[in-house]
Amino acid sequence: MRAVGAALLSALLPGAGQLLARRPLRALAFFAPLPILTLGGWIFVDRGTLGMADLLVRPSFLTGLLILDVAILIWRVWAVVDAFLITSTSGDRSWLMVPISLLLLVVAIPHVIAWDYGTRSISALNATFTAPPADDLPVLPHSSPSIHATETFIIDHDSPFVIRTYRDEPRTRVFSVGSGDPLAVQEFNDRQNISVTPAPYAPPTDPLDKDRLTILLVGADEGPGREGLRTDSMNVATIDLSTGEAALFGLPRNLKLLPLPSRFEKSFVELEKNVIEVDLTDEDEDGFPDTWVDLDGDEIPDEPEFESCKCFPTMLNKVHQYTLDWTNTYPYSPDPGLSALKDIVSHLLDLHIDYFVMVNMGGFVDVIDAIGGVRVLVKEPYHVTVSAPREGAPKASVNVEPGLRHLDGLEALAYARWRRGSSDYHRMGRQRCLVRAAVAQTNTVDLVRAFPSLLDVMQNSVTTDI
């Protein structure tokens, strides 16, 4: 059993078994790599969280770690076998092979797991993230209007969200009593009674720190029976890199008449002509719309000349659909439509957005399941069902009463997507609530356990320009 003890000691600390066998030089040779590895680990940790993260997302660095993992495994196995051989006799070795083999298996398991995590990480990183373009390759300007070939213009005259023009004042009916969203109507009415006073000081010219990362987080609603891919969930996360503090806020999918960056002002003129209705009100009953005026003095009102709003005329969640083919504008983007959405939202908010990240419904379900679900404070009963996240999957349902509830992936999807009898604004609040809860409840142990599943989600369900 002395041989097994020596092998076990060398498994725990290479060289310890050789020292037990009174082979100090041999023990020193096996122990020598340990201070070097310790020094390397200290240098790595001393880089700080961001410094370590910077290296751990580099496939070349991970490849080096895999080579190191194999080298350490060989070193440890050699130390165990050598300690066993120098402390055992030829007669002992036959019946001690089983426990020694089990010991070697235990030694190898963490290295095999590390190899699996490393190879999965490299594969996911290479599949998900894009390489920066070469500096000598110019980004071509977007020169002509682009409408995605599969898009069909549908003007629903009974919809409360149809854009109309009232005496040259573009607006949506979302604020109209009786047809608009109740929360929006209330907010609109409340704001009419607010007295505006001058600010006591001028706003700073650059209110945000430079060490800040801002990301557009997009949830795609593609799935069985869905109308293509629409970005129904859009949140902007801005993170202070020096403190880790973050702000998360949502963008209503039904925002319309979005102001455009100057380079895109003429890109949606044809779309604007199709989706904006002209006010045909004829209150004076002269046979001509009241918005028509006599331009040439012939006493017959003339139809006003079309004047573009220089905006994206329909709902924000459709920007992606109309810009999918903007490959000239975004030649290096994995998804030109998301790049266009990022730039338009950035212009809308007057906030530089560094990157976009889009996850589809199937990926959302998988992430929630991978971290073991999420606990959410439900404020009203939900007994609802929404469409399936992917082909072959069951529909997403949730049946909960008010209180702190634990939701799995499908339940969380139903809770996040439902809006009938509610509103987009309620739904946006639930979505931010889910994101906050998932982040707050997930610890390092959960992430390590869920790491392989999260890598699969990243590789199969995430689109990003990071």
Side-chain angles (χ1 to χ4, degrees):
M1 296 301 295
R2 183 168 178 267
V4 175
L8 179 60
L9 285 174
S10 278
L12 298 174
L13 181 63
Q18 285 78 3
L19 192 61
L20 179 67
R22 297 180 181 178
R23 303 285 187 92
L25 293 179
R26 209 178 189 103
L28 183 61
F30 279 104
F31 181 78
L34 189 59
I36 299 174
L37 292 173
T38 303
L39 177 61
W42 181 84
I43 293 173
F44 176 69
V45 172
D46 190 57
R47 293 174 59 90
T49 303
L50 289 179
M52 290 188 292
D54 180 54
L55 291 178
L56 289 174
V57 295
R58 297 177 183 269
S60 57
F61 181 77
L62 292 176
T63 300
L65 288 183
L66 290 179
I67 296 173
L68 181 62
D69 178 61
V70 173
I72 293 175
L73 175 59
I74 294 173
W75 167 54
R76 295 187 64 198
V77 167
W78 184 17
V80 170
V81 172
D82 182 75
F84 172 69
L85 292 176
I86 64 175
T87 54
S88 64
T89 63
S90 57
D92 294 334
R93 292 171 187 169
S94 57
W95 67 274
L96 289 178
M97 288 304 297
V98 172
I100 293 300
S101 298
L102 292 175
L103 180 60
L104 291 174
L105 180 62
V106 171
V107 169
I109 285 176
H111 295 277
V112 172
I113 294 174
W115 178 271
D116 180 58
Y117 275 35
T119 53
R120 281 172 177 260
S121 298
I122 293 172
S123 177
L125 288 168
N126 286 330
T128 305
F129 297 101
T130 59
D135 293 336
D136 57 344
L137 295 177
V139 176
L140 303 178
H142 179 65
S143 56
S144 61
S146 173
I147 298 178
H148 193 239
T150 60
E151 181 66 27
T152 301
F153 299 117
I154 300 175
I155 302 178
D156 182 359
H157 296 272
D158 296 323
S159 168
F161 301 113
V162 168
I163 297 177
R164 301 178 184 274
T165 302
Y166 293 92
R167 291 179 174 83
D168 298 327
E169 181 186 351
R171 57 170 290 182
T172 70
R173 293 177 60 195
V174 70
F175 298 108
S176 303
V177 177
S179 61
D181 182 277
L183 286 180
V185 173
Q186 183 63 46
E187 178 73 12
F188 183 81
N189 292 333
D190 290 346
R191 288 185 178 276
Q192 306 311 302
N193 302 320
I194 296 176
S195 60
V196 180
T197 57
Y201 53 85
T205 55
D206 185 12
L208 298 182
D209 298 329
K210 293 182 178 179
D211 291 334
R212 178 172 291 275
L213 180 67
T214 303
I215 301 177
L216 175 64
L217 305 175
V218 176
D221 74 344
E222 62 177 335
R226 305 298 299 168
E227 180 189 335
L229 187 159
R230 290 173 299 187
T231 58
D232 268 4
S233 174
M234 290 163 284
N235 289 274
V236 174
T238 181
I239 306 156
D240 187 322
L241 296 180
S242 61
T243 66
E245 291 183 342
L248 180 70
F249 53 96
L251 297 163
R253 72 183 185 97
N254 56 7
L255 282 178
K256 293 183 177 180
L257 302 179
L258 297 170
L260 294 170
S262 58
R263 65 187 186 282
F264 295 158
E265 286 181 348
K266 298 181 180 180
S267 298
F268 303 101
V269 173
E270 294 304 316
L271 174 61
E272 186 182 352
K273 291 178 180 178
N274 278 278
V275 301
I276 290 188
E277 294 184 17
V278 177
D279 183 8
L280 302 179
T281 304
D282 184 15
E283 293 183 355
D284 57 10
E285 299 181 350
D286 65 350
F288 298 95
D290 296 336
T291 54
W292 292 24
V293 295
D294 185 7
L295 299 176
D296 53 11
D298 62 358
E299 299 185 357
I300 299 177
D302 301 299
E303 182 177 0
E305 183 179 353
F306 171 80
E307 184 176 350
S308 173
C309 64
K310 299 179 181 180
C311 66
F312 184 75
T314 188
M315 290 167 58
L316 175 62
N317 70 338
K318 290 191 175 183
V319 167
H320 178 266
Q321 290 180 315
Y322 288 102
T323 55
L324 273 174
D325 58 354
W326 283 19
T327 53
N328 281 347
T329 308
Y330 304 102
Y332 312 112
S333 173
D335 190 316
L338 289 176
S339 293
L341 177 63
K342 180 182 73 174
D343 284 350
I344 290 174
V345 169
S346 178
H347 179 72
L348 173 71
L349 301 179
D350 195 21
L351 174 65
H352 175 73
I353 298 178
D354 299 286
Y355 303 109
F356 64 75
V357 177
M358 181 176 73
V359 61
N360 59 31
M361 292 193 296
F364 174 85
V365 171
D366 292 340
V367 166
I368 298 298
D369 284 337
I371 63 175
V374 61
R375 294 186 306 278
V376 178
L377 181 60
V378 178
K379 297 183 178 180
E380 55 188 283
Y382 285 92
H383 303 279
V384 301
T385 300
V386 299
S387 57
R390 56 168 64 95
E391 292 290 346
K395 290 187 175 181
S397 299
V398 62
N399 294 283
V400 292
E401 295 295 328
L404 188 62
R405 306 300 177 192
H406 183 274
L407 307 180
D408 63 21
L410 286 174
E411 291 173 326
L413 179 64
Y415 180 75
R417 293 202 61 227
W418 184 258
R419 65 182 177 88
R420 294 181 185 176
S422 177
S423 71
D424 282 310
Y425 309 102
H426 275 122
R427 181 168 71 170
M428 289 162 57
R430 293 197 303 272
Q431 290 169 354
R432 292 196 301 276
C433 177
L434 278 170
V435 172
R436 288 197 302 269
V439 171
Q441 297 165 24
T442 304
N443 55 42
T444 303
V445 174
D446 292 332
L447 289 176
V448 171
R449 176 182 52 79
F451 192 67
S453 298
L454 293 176
L455 287 175
D456 289 339
V457 172
M458 186 172 76
Q459 186 166 349
N460 299 321
S461 302
V462 170
T463 304
T464 182
D465 62 345
I466 295 178

